[in-house]
Amino acid sequence: MTKISSTMLSVGTLLRRAEDTGAAVRVLVQGTWLDGRVLGCDGLGAVLDDGDGHQSLVRLDSVVAVTFSRVQMEEPDTARAHGGGASGPIEAGPVTVPPQSRGEHTPLSPAPY
């Protein structure tokens, strides 16, 4: 009997996992590979820091591929203090993004109050 799974993997899920563990990633955006650690990721974009003072904001819908070191994501020594450092497969359920009105934008992170 074949096992049927409804697990859905997404670029955002993988980048949030990399953010939690502190793992370095490479993302392919419009034919260019960007390297770095994920500083923040929401449903629309991610901020990568390359460690040399450069940061990139990428839209998740523009990311074609993501590469990462599974060892970095699973090693407890490389996990950030706030990260879970959990091991195992990266899994996620369906992702729902609310529709936006014309001209409306959603910030990458909420403004501090």
Side-chain angles (χ1 to χ4, degrees):
M1 181 175 252
T2 303
K3 180 180 177 183
I4 298 175
S5 173
S6 63
T7 300
M8 180 176 154
L9 298 178
S10 71
V11 167
T13 301
L14 189 118
L15 292 175
R16 282 188 298 276
R17 177 75 177 267
E19 177 186 13
D20 289 344
T21 62
V25 297
R26 297 185 78 208
V27 296
L28 180 60
V29 180
Q30 296 184 353
T32 301
W33 285 100
L34 300 172
D35 300 314
R37 296 195 187 278
V38 182
L39 297 181
C41 184
D42 65 9
L44 298 175
V47 177
L48 300 178
D49 187 311
D50 70 359
D52 290 329
H54 298 98
Q55 294 180 350
S56 302
L57 171 64
V58 297
R59 291 187 54 89
L60 296 183
D61 61 358
S62 297
V63 176
V64 177
V66 178
T67 65
F68 63 96
S69 167
R70 185 170 180 116
V71 172
Q72 278 190 350
M73 286 212 191
E74 293 178 348
E75 286 292 322
D77 293 342
T78 61
R80 293 183 185 178
H82 73 279
S87 61
I90 300 168
E91 298 181 7
V95 177
T96 304
V97 177
Q100 295 179 341
S101 301
R102 184 180 177 127
E104 176 185 2
H105 85 284
T106 303
L108 186 60
S109 61
Y113 294 101

